Amino acid sequence: MVLHPKTKVRVAGQEVTFCCKASGTPVPKKYYWYHNGTLLERKVHRYGSRLVLRGLAPEQAGTYHCKASTEAGAIKSAPAQLTVLAQGQQSCKPEPEPSLVELPSECPQDATGSRYYNVGRCPPAPCAGSLADQSACGAEAGRCCGVRRMEMREIPCAGSLLPVKVVAECGCGPCAQPRVLVQGRVTAADTGEPLRFGQIFLGGRKVGFTGYKGSFTIEVPPDTQRLVARFVDRQQRFVDAIKVLPFNRRGGAIYQEVKMLRKKEPVDLDGSRSNAIPLGEASGREPVGELILPAGTFLRPSGEVFSGTVKASVTFLDPRDMATASAASSDLSFVNDEGEIVPLRTYGMFAVDFREGESGAVLQTGPVEVRMDAGQVQMPEHLQKMKLWSLNPETGLWEEEGDLRPAGGSRGKREERTFLVGNLEVRERRLFNLDVPEDRRCFVKVRAYSNEKFNPYEQLEGVVISLINLEPQPGYPANPRAWGRFDSVVTGPNGACLPAFCDGQRPDAYSAYVTATMGGEELEAAASSPKLNPNVIGVSQPYLGKLGYRRLDHDDPNLKKTAFQINVAKPDPNNVDETNGPIYPYRSLEECEKAPVSANHLRFYRVEVDRYEYNVVPFKESDLTSWTGDYLSWWPNPQEFRACFIKVQIMGPQEYMVRSRNVGGSHPRTRGQLYGLRDIRSVRDMLLENTSGACVEFKCSGMLFDQSLVDRTLVSIIPQGSCHRTSINSLLREYLSRHPPVAENNHTAAFTMLAPVDPLGHNYGIYTVTDQNPRLAKEIAIGRCFDGTSDGFSREMKADAGTAVTFTCQERPVGRESFFQRLLTAPAEA
């Protein structure tokens, strides 16, 4: 399906056009349209690949999708939502929805004991299209609900007033068009070496290369439903990696680690004889099967039989080895007769590469036999359904090559083993797969939070949640026998629903291993020890006990806390305890996606090391559509985000909180006005006694949102404690003196500067990274800052490398206030 219908909003009486287009061989000519799953009559609506509905009535609202078919098969489009408003009804209410931000620690709590303040938000819902758009096929230029007016409020905090901008009114305006990106790194699954200058294809089109360190950026084309990328090693050391990459439709960049499987060393075969190559013997286990190559099967592309020496490389990916899941290609899906994309459960996949011994020219084959050891199939019902598949590199979907059927006759000394046998021909370089269509399917609801408090309004969007289906040993749910498939989904404003295999009869027939990453950083899962706490995990008893939730460190505290495992126990519709998530039957996807935050769900959270951020103009970094154009916006440009950090060294016996206060410095519209605050706790340097370092974010200097004048941000760095400034990086001091105006630095307990406009680098103690994703920009900058280099990355603090300013702090006598506390209680005097 190359064109999917778009979601639309209309007023009753208007008309709407939905379009779809499929490609294939032969070219699809027959299209069918469905409303809420019911086929619309072709005679009544006179549709082909486009559906026009005139004089809309409210009952025509709902979901629409199309299906294209030929004698070769069928394919369904993604569903599009049609909203029909009554005359005079507004799709964008002027009153903002509640949205809470946390105020700094020095602000008083309200009557309920909360330090959260409602700043409001406008939901980015689509508005009704104009008359000009009604017959259009493509995406409408689009009007969306957004901020029409903001108001400045002031909150009394510790002797001073804290400014905050709140949404006063919402209204329809042009939709934000954030760029949608996938970034990441391609490395070898075995050694971690990067794929240097590898080719990247989307469909059959080459879109670029990986960098020297294996890094890549792909801009997701508009209207993409499924992003299929193929990574090719030009030196042919690795099997092509075909990946279905998750992305965030709401904009910004998602980070993905892509692993490539190294090709097996070729062996010499005599093309004039029959040959057998085992599949999956490497891990010291019985092979899963073997490839039988009869005499005379090797062919040149012209069709001529080749009978000389053949260099044969057959690389098998064995799902009995848990480590191979990350290197598997595609997302193990195929299109069924109804045109739906449905999952497969793999028993192994293999890539073949046959070449002439002398010239290295690629060879094809006539019919070859694939034999699979039936003893490796632990679920007897799978034996009847086993098929042979090949991967279409452009769609990322598996296509059926044939069935695997029990072999007749015996094979001498191997009589005790029964084989499933199938045939295939190697005509192009494809990946092959031994797979079973599996119809016992469910969805698992997972949410990600910005900290361990699990506040509903502090959920993170843009987190990649990955689920690997495991098939455990009977009676040993924690000891998997093999993995069967894997899926990745990106969290939206209401979490993520991940497809998984499940079983209603045996809760532990399938288990799932779940992880979460954001910008390459792993999030932690809710703890399962010392005892299961339903309020922490997010699932109520007794269903929680049936799921057998265990975090990775459940039995061994030395293991990481970044994954959990559950039994995917299909919910019993007659048991009220199992009808509220976190597992939903496959037909209840909408219920899963729309479930309230109070319903059962599984949780990850970001480990915040005593970090606090406050923006005067509220902005949710995980949702780029929440950006508002304002002179006091921390990020002035929603298309690219520049993160700036300064490295502070602290000589003192403990770790200290360090604050950056960011105020307009040179722009006439913002001079003296607060942009925001950042607090971070310093991190101890393990190699230096009584030394810690802090990487403190500050607002970069540069153009404000109107892109007309530069503002040099006035940045104050203030450690909390009895601290005095002992040195400033000489290169930084010289730069600041050569680029006036120079900020006064007359208080030794702080460091103040008009932030540099140039991205200076580690020699100055300033770290600047620009990216289309604010969180990724910050993570990269923090990694460089910890390392003290302009191109490295470290999670270990090197406090004496690449620092900008040094403070010496001592334990102060009891009863005496620090400068930081005096600044909070009596700012004018301080």
Side-chain angles (χ1 to χ4, degrees), residues 647 683 695 782-788 794-798:
K647 187 164 183 178
V683 176
C695 292
I782 289 168
R784 290 177 184 176
C785 177
F786 266 56
D787 197 46
S794 175
R795 293 255 182 236
E796 303 279 318
M797 174 56 76
K798 300 169 185 172

Side-chain angles (χ1 to χ4, degrees), residues 403-461:
D403 293 324
L404 287 166
R405 290 277 169 260
S410 66
R411 298 199 60 224
K413 62 181 180 181
R414 290 195 178 172
E415 284 163 13
E416 73 281 5
R417 291 170 69 192
T418 54
F419 280 90
L420 300 176
V421 178
N423 292 299
L424 63 89
E425 294 184 16
V426 182
R427 291 282 177 220
E428 55 180 326
R429 203 168 67 211
R430 280 199 173 194
L431 196 60
F432 298 98
N433 198 351
L434 309 164
D435 262 25
V436 169
E438 178 59 279
D439 47 16
R440 291 174 291 182
R441 295 176 282 159
C442 289
F443 284 99
V444 181
K445 182 73 180 213
V446 181
R447 297 178 189 270
Y449 293 86
S450 60
N451 54 49
E452 228 172 333
K453 295 174 191 158
F454 303 120
N455 284 327
Y457 37 82
E458 291 188 305
Q459 291 188 64
L460 294 173
E461 294 182 46

Side-chain angles (χ1 to χ4, degrees), residues 184-199 209-216 231-238 255 257-262:
R185 217 161 56 102
V186 189
T187 54
D190 52 357
T191 61
E193 72 174 284
L195 174 69
R196 294 191 169 127
F197 313 120
Q199 295 171 314
F209 297 90
T210 58
Y212 182 73
K213 292 189 173 179
S215 57
F216 67 90
F231 298 91
V232 177
D233 174 23
R234 293 190 293 178
Q235 296 172 8
Q236 289 300 308
R237 295 162 304 160
F238 301 105
Y255 187 86
E257 289 278 357
V258 174
K259 302 290 184 195
M260 288 188 88
L261 201 60
R262 192 178 296 279

Side-chain angles (χ1 to χ4, degrees), residues 392-404:
N392 181 326
E394 296 191 8
T395 63
L397 293 167
W398 294 89
E399 297 172 352
E400 194 177 322
E401 290 278 343
D403 293 324
L404 287 166

Side-chain angles (χ1 to χ4, degrees), residues 428-623:
E428 55 180 326
R429 203 168 67 211
R430 280 199 173 194
L431 196 60
F432 298 98
N433 198 351
L434 309 164
D435 262 25
V436 169
E438 178 59 279
D439 47 16
R440 291 174 291 182
R441 295 176 282 159
C442 289
F443 284 99
V444 181
K445 182 73 180 213
V446 181
R447 297 178 189 270
Y449 293 86
S450 60
N451 54 49
E452 228 172 333
K453 295 174 191 158
F454 303 120
N455 284 327
Y457 37 82
E458 291 188 305
Q459 291 188 64
L460 294 173
E461 294 182 46
V463 175
V464 180
I465 312 282
S466 297
L467 183 150
I468 301 175
N469 273 274
L470 308 175
E471 197 180 283
Q473 305 274 12
Y476 299 96
N479 185 8
R481 179 166 54 207
W483 61 266
R485 70 172 280 111
F486 50 87
D487 284 278
S488 294
V489 177
V490 176
T491 56
N494 199 33
C497 293
L498 287 107
F501 295 146
C502 57
D503 196 298
Q505 267 56 55
R506 288 195 8 248
D508 62 351
Y510 283 112
S511 61
Y513 177 87
V514 187
T515 58
T517 60
M518 186 169 70
E521 169 197 1
E522 293 182 297
L523 276 64
E524 286 194 4
S528 60
S529 54
K531 66 180 178 41
L532 287 177
N533 181 342
N535 296 328
V536 170
I537 294 164
V539 181
S540 54
Q541 290 286 20
Y543 200 15
L544 176 60
K546 190 172 176 181
L547 298 181
Y549 177 93
R550 299 161 74 87
R551 191 166 74 175
L552 210 54
D553 65 342
H554 185 84
D555 295 319
D556 182 354
N558 294 321
L559 290 174
K560 290 165 84 170
K561 303 171 181 177
T562 52
F564 65 78
Q565 201 167 316
I566 55 166
N567 300 327
V568 193
K570 189 173 183 177
D572 176 355
N574 302 315
N575 182 342
V576 69
D577 292 318
E578 298 181 12
T579 55
N580 194 29
I583 315 287
Y584 293 83
Y586 198 73
R587 295 282 166 219
S588 304
L589 172 60
E590 192 174 347
E591 192 187 329
C592 176
E593 287 183 333
K594 293 183 175 173
V597 73
S598 56
N600 285 334
H601 60 273
L602 297 155
R603 295 170 170 172
F604 285 93
Y605 63 92
R606 194 163 184 218
V607 183
E608 294 282 322
V609 200
D610 284 336
R611 179 190 298 184
Y612 171 73
E613 300 179 356
Y614 174 76
N615 298 327
V616 169
V617 179
F619 172 58
K620 205 173 171 186
E621 287 174 0
S622 61
D623 175 13

Side-chain angles (χ1 to χ4, degrees), residues 228-299:
V228 179
R230 180 161 58 107
F231 298 91
V232 177
D233 174 23
R234 293 190 293 178
Q235 296 172 8
Q236 289 300 308
R237 295 162 304 160
F238 301 105
V239 177
D240 293 1
I242 295 157
K243 295 288 182 181
V244 179
L245 299 171
F247 59 95
N248 188 355
R249 292 174 204 285
R250 294 158 68 92
I254 294 294
Y255 187 86
Q256 279 290 100
E257 289 278 357
V258 174
K259 302 290 184 195
M260 288 188 88
L261 201 60
R262 192 178 296 279
K263 279 188 179 175
K264 200 151 181 219
E265 283 298 315
V267 292
D268 288 349
L269 303 179
D270 182 345
S272 60
R273 294 185 167 190
S274 178
N275 292 283
I277 298 177
L279 299 173
E281 82 293 354
S283 42
R285 299 182 174 98
E286 282 286 328
V288 169
E290 58 190 1
L291 205 54
I292 307 290
L293 302 154
T297 192
F298 294 107
L299 309 170

